[in-house]
Amino acid sequence: MASAAEQLAANLNFSAFGKAEDLKKRIWFTLGALLVYRLGTYIPMPGIDPAALARAFQQQSTGILGLFNMFSGGAVGRMAIFALGIMPYISASIIIQLMTSVVPSLENLKKEGEQGRKVINQYTRYGTVLLATFQAYGIAAGLETQSGIVVDPGWFFRVSAVITLVGGTMFLMWLGEQITSRGIGNGISLIIFAGIVAHLPAAVANLLELGRTGALSTAVILLVIVVAVACIAFIVFMERAQRRLLIQYPKRQVGNRMFQGDTSHLPLKLNTAGVIPPIFASSLLLLPVTVANFADTSKLPDWATAIVASLGHGQPLYMLFYAGLIGFFAFFYTAVVFNPKDTADNLKKHGGFIPGIRPGERTAEYIDYVLTRITVIGAIYLVLICLLPEFLISAAGVPFYLGGTSLLIVVSVTMDTVAQIQGHLLAHQYEGLVKKAKLRGGRRGGR
């Protein structure tokens, strides 16, 4: 017999969406908030010469600035008030998560439930301000070194730049929290999603223009489309893939009645680390290239110039380091966000056990054994998705605008948002069925 949730899912249709007023309000709020974000990426920071900035950024677009420009929706290239984007908040969140594994006081806060989570969130906000301040000052000082970009260099420009950029990041952090609580989906993820998708129309237009001028053949354009669709399907399949461990609960007696033991599953995602490994790997690899581009290349020694050249996009050494760093961060971040010992202790506390495995330490070892092996598959999947666009760019000269990292973010955020919309529709339809059942019961009672 189908479960109630499955029956409700089968009955979902557009009429249910039309009646879900709360869901429509949430969607409109989300769209309005994202529109505010996109408008902010076009408001320039004061004291900048846009023409000189565009020329300078063109030379740095292949480095780490190009990656940040993609995540910020083009705000870095225009040096807008949202140029820092939401990345300082993400970096602070990751640092706090890492610290909860090594700092006992933070680890205790993590175990205190909702109250401890609020304190950790506050620490994350403080860390965001600190990181954003350092990054904003670095951007201001870096802009002053490029001739002609800053109209009036000096401390006044630096202070105003720091206040503007840090204020933009804090506003985006607040906007993301508002989307999460009053809108639909994860606000921070949707802001990054909107920045990446904003480049898509121009990318498609450029691709078609290359085909019209004969720079790319029709076969190559069709190949790009097929590869993009195949990558999306592969990402959807792998992001949904789970290794489900059977959990058994013992029989229990209530009064004179004996209840059969329940069974459930412990889902272990194939890609527990999400999109963090590609982001970290890209940032680390692009950092030397960016620093070298800002420096005077004529003063660099020959060995440094050779290393920078070999770390360029499409180079074998770049591919090798990129794959290795993705694999390393996949295992490292999985170990940070998922603790088998805590999971085993919680199962033991609630009377659950894995059949054939002794509760406690043996269960933790078994969960770690399974998690390590599925993380190998997850790391290979991330490497394939992230390196395929690089091979297309280097081998065939194909302008694959959506790289592996951005493609992962777009697909993952879309899946998460659609799942939340379905959840709201299920809840709304379930409430409607409950009201109808009460009305029927009242009518029968009246008779």
Side-chain angles (χ1 to χ4, degrees):
M1 182 180 292
S3 65
E6 289 171 344
Q7 292 177 1
L8 284 173
N11 293 329
L12 284 179
N13 48 42
F14 286 106
S15 62
F17 179 80
K19 296 175 184 177
E21 295 295 331
D22 179 65
L23 177 60
K24 287 194 288 186
K25 289 179 181 178
R26 285 178 172 271
I27 291 175
W28 281 116
F29 179 85
T30 303
L31 293 175
L34 293 178
L35 178 62
V36 170
Y37 159 65
R38 288 303 303 155
L39 290 174
T41 60
Y42 287 90
I43 301 175
M45 193 172 69
I48 297 291
D49 182 358
L53 175 67
R55 289 193 298 269
F57 185 80
Q58 191 67 29
Q59 301 172 358
Q60 313 294 334
S61 58
T62 58
I64 196 170
L65 292 182
L67 180 69
F68 288 163
N69 190 51
M70 178 187 67
F71 289 147
S72 65
V76 174
R78 294 183 287 270
M79 204 48 64
I81 59 174
F82 292 159
L84 284 181
I86 205 69
M87 294 305 290
Y89 177 77
I90 295 175
S91 301
S93 301
I94 294 170
I95 291 171
I96 294 296
Q97 283 184 352
L98 293 174
M99 290 179 66
T100 54
S101 303
V102 295
V103 179
S105 57
L106 289 176
E107 189 175 0
N108 293 333
L109 280 175
K110 189 178 179 181
K111 296 177 181 178
E112 288 181 6
E114 185 63 29
Q115 189 61 34
R117 196 175 299 113
K118 288 181 179 178
V119 177
I120 290 176
N121 288 340
Q122 197 62 28
Y123 288 159
T124 304
R125 294 188 184 100
Y126 295 149
T128 302
V129 174
L130 191 62
L131 285 175
T133 302
F134 276 113
Q135 291 179 15
Y137 182 81
I139 288 175
L143 289 173
E144 286 185 340
T145 61
Q146 303 294 312
S147 61
I149 294 181
V150 180
V151 177
D152 186 18
W155 276 106
F156 179 78
F157 168 75
R158 295 179 191 177
V159 172
S160 63
V162 168
I163 293 173
T164 302
L165 294 176
V166 174
T169 295
M170 299 310 294
F171 177 79
L172 285 182
M173 184 182 70
W174 173 84
L175 191 66
E177 292 175 351
Q178 294 302 307
I179 293 174
T180 302
S181 60
R182 300 174 59 185
I184 196 80
N186 183 286
I188 303 299
S189 300
L190 281 172
I191 287 174
I192 300 176
F193 170 86
I196 295 173
V197 172
H199 290 283
L200 193 56
V204 173
N206 289 337
L207 186 65
L208 295 177
E209 180 63 20
L210 289 174
R212 188 186 67 82
T213 57
L216 288 178
S217 65
T218 305
V220 173
I221 294 176
L222 290 176
L223 175 65
V224 172
I225 296 173
V226 170
V227 169
V229 172
C231 284
I232 291 171
F234 185 53
I235 291 172
V236 171
F237 175 77
M238 294 299 288
E239 289 298 321
R240 288 187 172 183
Q242 295 177 346
R243 172 71 161 86
R244 304 175 72 188
L245 300 181
L246 180 65
I247 305 298
Q248 184 78 42
Y249 291 92
K251 297 179 181 180
R252 56 192 177 91
Q253 184 173 357
V254 179
N256 295 325
R257 297 185 63 184
M258 179 67 72
F259 290 89
Q260 185 66 30
D262 296 328
T263 59
S264 65
H265 291 89
L266 175 64
L268 300 177
K269 286 190 65 177
L270 227 61
N271 179 27
T272 307
V275 298
I276 297 300
I279 292 176
F280 270 36
S282 300
S283 301
L284 284 178
L285 277 179
L286 293 175
L287 190 59
V289 179
T290 305
V291 173
N293 287 340
F294 274 116
D296 188 357
T297 53
S298 61
K299 296 180 180 179
L300 290 176
D302 293 339
W303 61 267
T305 306
I307 290 176
V308 170
S310 61
L311 288 177
H313 271 294
Q315 299 298 320
L317 189 62
Y318 173 86
M319 302 281 196
L320 184 64
F321 274 111
Y322 194 27
L325 286 172
I326 288 175
F328 169 76
F329 283 118
F331 280 93
F332 180 76
Y333 197 69
T334 298
V336 169
V337 300
F338 190 94
N339 191 331
K341 189 176 185 304
D342 290 346
T343 304
D345 290 342
N346 289 332
L347 287 175
K348 186 177 181 180
K349 189 183 302 180
H350 293 91
F353 62 93
I354 300 174
I357 307 296
R358 185 178 299 173
E361 186 176 345
R362 293 291 299 170
T363 298
E365 291 175 357
Y366 179 74
I367 294 174
D368 184 62
Y369 171 85
V370 174
L371 188 65
T372 301
R373 275 146 186 79
I374 64 175
T375 303
V376 172
I377 302 174
I380 294 172
Y381 143 70
L382 288 175
V383 170
L384 289 176
I385 287 295
C386 293
L387 286 189
L388 183 59
E390 297 292 338
F391 280 122
L392 285 174
I393 293 170
S394 61
V398 175
F400 200 92
Y401 297 100
L402 273 183
T405 307
S406 55
L407 204 59
L408 276 171
I409 294 173
V410 169
V411 176
S412 301
V413 173
T414 302
M415 289 172 59
D416 179 59
T417 306
V418 169
Q420 289 203 27
I421 291 174
Q422 289 178 342
H424 279 280
L425 286 175
L426 284 171
H428 175 76
Q429 196 161 0
Y430 180 77
E431 290 174 0
L433 292 175
V434 170
K435 289 179 181 178
K436 288 181 181 178
K438 288 182 178 179
L439 287 174
R440 289 172 185 170
R443 289 171 185 171
R444 289 174 185 171
R447 292 176 185 172

